[in-house]
Amino acid sequence: MGIRVGIIGTGLIGEDHGRKLSSVISGSTVSAVTDVRRERAEQVAAIVGGARVLASGHELIASDLVDAVLVTSIGETHAEYVLACITAGKPVLCEKPLAPTVAECERIIAAEVAHGRRLVIVGFMRRYDPGYQQVEATLRSGAIGEALMLHNVHRNATVGEGYTSTMTMTDSMIHEVDVSRWLLDEEIMAVQVIPPKRTPKAFPHLQDPQFAVFTTESGILSTVEFFANAQYGYDVRCELVGSLGTAALVNPVVASTTAGGRASAAVPADWRGRFSGAYTAELQAWIAGLARGECVGPSAWEGYAATKVVEAGVEAVVSGARETIDYMDKPALYR
Ligand code: NAP
């Protein structure tokens, strides 16, 4: 039976994680699901097999059927459920963001510190992507010297009309915020967002693309080109420039076609294709850690720090100015 996971929010990623937890990950089952759209929870219960559909997130957290909780509901609900998990003493993997506001993240940190033991991890799955892991290992090996600049590219094929100019930070560039902090092992102290010429392919209310510059504690620049309506597919790139060389992601290619004088390879349609392996590795590490009594994954501190940068990033999108960031002291639990 292993670790019995309850899922709160059975939309796109809740269903995706549910499939993995019930059939790919070793040591876990999905024992309960809930969603404000009950019919979605029922569909996902049928997909994962054997999960009870419960009436609310709070009923799920309190249930004896659930050893650990996966929060994959919309961001605005995350803090409420993560805080309830801490009160119940249950481990929780919360999809990004930990919470949309810094104040909520601070409440989560205060609650976990008062509890005295780590229970919360945040779904920053790029840390589990083999390409990013190799870039990180190359930097730590010393082979490229000291990190000076990190160049990130994040392109989506399209986004819906509801996507806004600040969701570029809250929904999308939050991944580059986490990757920059994790790879460079430094906090981001300032952020500026520069709007390039707009694509005619975006709705008029959306500034697309956007170009962000993050500055770390020691002055490393991490740049992000985020392009929401790039048309051709989902494309994530990263090159780390060091004092002795560079390390870059190579997009995973499983097969290519050579015909008619051309060689080509498919581009993933969205994040599910590109990062499926990373989600699996993230979930497996979480479950294997819980089986050993450990909390393995990016901590609530990582979630707080990312939301701090994103909050400044939202201001920077609006102001065009370079916005600086102050952090609270890091509690001993996260050192
Ligand atoms: P989604 O498809 O909209 O699914 C979210 C589900 O939660 C919806 O069915 C929603 O119902 C439901 N919900 C809303 N309020 C709820 C509540 N109080 N209790 C229980 N369920 C509730 O969204 P998604 O794309 O799966 O994203 C979910 C979360 O995962 C977001 O925080 C997102 O940022 C994150 N995410 C992370 C990644 C990643 O790469 N790590 C990728 C995708 C998503 P309604 O539709 O009625 O609101």
Side-chain angles (χ1 to χ4, degrees), residues 8-9 11-14 35-37 72-75 77-78 81 95-97 123 125 175 271 279:
I8 302 177
L12 269 184
I13 203 160
D35 195 290
V36 287
R37 296 177 191 248
T72 43
S73 46
I74 55 173
T77 64
H78 290 183
Y81 292 137
E95 258 309 333
K96 61 86 185 160
M125 80 299 177
H175 284 297
W271 44 272
Y279 293 119

Side-chain angles (χ1 to χ4, degrees), residues 111-122:
E112 195 174 36
V113 166
H115 180 75
R117 193 167 58 86
R118 278 192 53 205
L119 291 171
V120 181
I121 73 165
V122 186

